[in-house]
């Protein structure tokens, strides 16, 4: 155990969109081994933000990346899915028990893929641990590399806004990607103020390969698979080369309207060379956009084939010229 982590607890840790519960697990329950769900080969979890060695203010954003599995809220058993946990300034917990819920082991059971974290100035370590619906790590476990950051004093952050729902505090900042000012229509789930969806990759105007992994970002809401009715959650839909469809009913499901109903936060897309448009629409368990709707800007990308490898000329002695016979 490193010196900065020995016997250390985070005295001040405020997270947007996270649940911090202290002392909710009984001693007997914490010690009893529990069955672990299997994780698929090649699955991984990682930080998108901040970067290793970054210097950040006392309040900063963290974003999670996930490959090979889907996000699903706690309490929702589903194969090849789970939710994120951030381990702060402490060692990883046992993998055959429920992850503790305290200031050093923070649960994102609402299906969040990003949050705001407030830490005191100094050196800190962060690590992601993915776990199933019962907060038990998978087998084999999905653990990110340990991230070391430096927190420095900055201006006092604005007070958090939002309201607690289903045990989770939902926050939002700004209104990018949402349409406000319209009351919730009948049959459509309301979206919290400031919620937004966006492309982590690729950026607008990027040149990409014909087969590219598209990564999604979500703020102010959680990811839940299709069919799971949970407040302030939904799943992603990727629109390819089409206009935004009507937002007062279920989204189409075809080659141009791709449903990520398992709770995916990324999708490998095959596109022909040329110009293409991409847009994200977040929708509820019935594939109906929220009210106000949560949609990204429509971005443009250019697909190009990779350059053909240049064949190296074979080295060797030159062939002798044929002699002319007279």
């Amino acid at each position: 155990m490193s010196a900065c982590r020995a016997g250390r607890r985070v005295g001040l840790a405020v997270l947007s969109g996270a649940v911090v519960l202290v002392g909710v697990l009984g001693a007997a329950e914490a010690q009893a081994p529990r069955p672990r769900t299997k994780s698929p080969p090649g699955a991984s979890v990682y930080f998108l933000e901040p970067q290793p060695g970054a210097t950040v203010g006392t309040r900063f954003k963290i974003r999670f990346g996930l490959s090979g599995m889907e996000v699903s809220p706690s309490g929702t058993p589903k194969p090849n899915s789970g939710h994120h946990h951030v381990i702060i300034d402490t060692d990883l917990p046992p993998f055959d028990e429920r992850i503790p819920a305290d200031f050093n082991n923070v649960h994102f059971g609402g299906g969040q893929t990003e949050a705001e974290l407030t830490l005191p100035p100094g050196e800190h370590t962060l690590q992601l641990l993915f776990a199933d619906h019962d907060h038990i790590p998978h087998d084999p476990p999905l653990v990110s590399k340990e991230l070391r950051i430096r927190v420095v004093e900055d201006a006092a952050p604005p007070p958090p806004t939002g309201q607690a729902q289903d045990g989770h505090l939902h926050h939002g900042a700004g209104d990018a990607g949402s349409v406000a000012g319209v009351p919730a229509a009948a049959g459509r789930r309301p979206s919290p103020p400031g919620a937004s969806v966006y492309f982590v990759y690729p950026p607008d105007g990027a040149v990409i390969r014909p087969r590219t992994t598209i990564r999604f970002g979500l703020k102010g809401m959680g990811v839940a698979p299709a069919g799971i009715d949970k407040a302030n959650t939904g799943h992603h839909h990727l629109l390819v080369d089409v206009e935004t469809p009507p937002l007062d009913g279920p989204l189409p499901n075809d080659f141009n309207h791709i449903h990520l109903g398992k709770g995916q936060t990324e999708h490998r897309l095959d596109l022909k060379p040329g110009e293409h448009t991409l847009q994200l629409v977040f929708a509820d368990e019935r594939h109906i956009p929220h009210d106000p709707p949560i949609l990204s800007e429509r971005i443009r990308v250019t697909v190009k084939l990779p350059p053909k490898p240049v064949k190296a000329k074979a080295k060797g002695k030159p062939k002798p010229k044929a002699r002319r016979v007279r």
Side-chain angles (χ1 to χ4, degrees):
M1 183 182 297
S2 62
C4 72
R5 301 165 79 178
R8 181 177 180 184
R9 291 180 59 85
V10 177
L12 173 63
V14 180
L15 292 104
S16 170
V19 158
V20 181
L21 301 175
V22 182
V24 298
L25 298 180
E29 185 180 29
Q31 293 175 0
R34 291 176 176 271
R36 296 169 62 189
T37 55
K38 296 293 184 181
S39 60
S44 62
V45 66
Y46 50 91
F47 282 102
L48 293 169
E49 187 180 353
Q51 296 298 308
T55 298
V56 298
T58 53
R59 183 173 180 177
F60 58 97
K61 179 186 289 187
I62 51 176
R63 291 194 295 158
F64 320 135
L66 176 67
S67 180
M69 293 189 74
E70 291 84 38
V71 176
S72 182
S74 62
T76 305
K78 188 173 183 295
N80 294 339
S81 71
H83 61 279
H84 294 286
H85 301 74
V86 175
I87 313 302
I88 306 173
D89 294 332
T90 191
D91 293 314
L92 290 169
F95 293 145
D96 58 352
E97 300 174 5
R98 281 182 176 175
I99 299 173
D102 52 37
F103 291 111
N104 296 90
N105 302 271
V106 184
H107 293 220
F108 291 88
Q112 300 94 321
T113 57
E114 68 175 46
E116 285 187 341
L117 177 64
T118 300
L119 291 175
E123 303 291 330
H124 295 278
T125 61
L126 306 175
Q127 202 163 9
L128 280 173
L129 178 56
F130 205 64
D132 67 12
H133 65 284
D134 203 23
H135 311 287
I136 300 175
H138 297 79
D139 186 15
L142 273 66
V143 184
S144 74
K145 293 181 179 179
E146 185 180 78
L147 183 69
R148 292 181 177 272
I149 60 171
R150 181 170 176 262
V151 175
V152 297
E153 193 69 55
D154 57 0
T161 60
Q163 58 182 357
Q165 294 185 1
D166 296 341
H168 300 277
L169 185 62
H170 299 269
H171 292 258
D175 57 358
S178 65
V179 180
V182 181
R188 293 173 64 187
R189 309 290 191 229
S191 59
S196 63
V197 66
Y198 55 92
F199 287 99
V200 174
Y201 182 85
D204 187 26
V207 177
I208 61 177
R209 298 300 185 206
R211 171 168 285 191
T212 298
T213 298
I214 312 298
R215 295 188 171 93
F216 323 133
L218 177 67
K219 184 175 182 179
M221 297 188 74
V223 177
I228 302 299
D229 181 7
K230 190 174 177 66
N232 289 347
T233 67
H235 61 279
H236 294 285
H237 298 75
L238 178 60
L239 310 186
V240 183
D241 295 330
V242 290
E243 296 295 321
T244 306
L247 302 175
D248 56 355
L251 296 171
N253 187 9
D254 52 40
F255 291 109
N256 298 99
H257 305 80
I258 302 173
H259 289 219
L260 288 308
K262 294 182 179 180
Q264 301 97 312
T265 57
E266 64 182 25
H267 177 70
R268 182 172 291 180
L269 188 63
D270 291 294
L271 293 173
K272 294 181 180 180
E275 302 289 331
H276 296 275
T277 63
L278 305 174
Q279 187 176 24
L280 287 172
V281 179
F282 203 65
D284 67 16
E285 77 281 2
R286 305 161 299 165
H287 313 287
I288 300 176
H290 298 78
D291 193 0
I294 310 300
L295 63 159
S296 74
E297 295 181 356
R298 183 180 293 107
I299 67 171
R300 295 183 178 274
V301 296
T302 301
V303 175
K304 289 187 176 181
L305 294 171
K308 294 182 178 180
V310 179
K311 294 183 178 180
K313 294 183 179 180
K315 295 182 179 180
K317 296 182 180 180
K319 295 182 179 180
K321 294 182 179 179
R323 293 183 178 181
R324 182 179 297 176
V325 179
R326 295 183 178 180

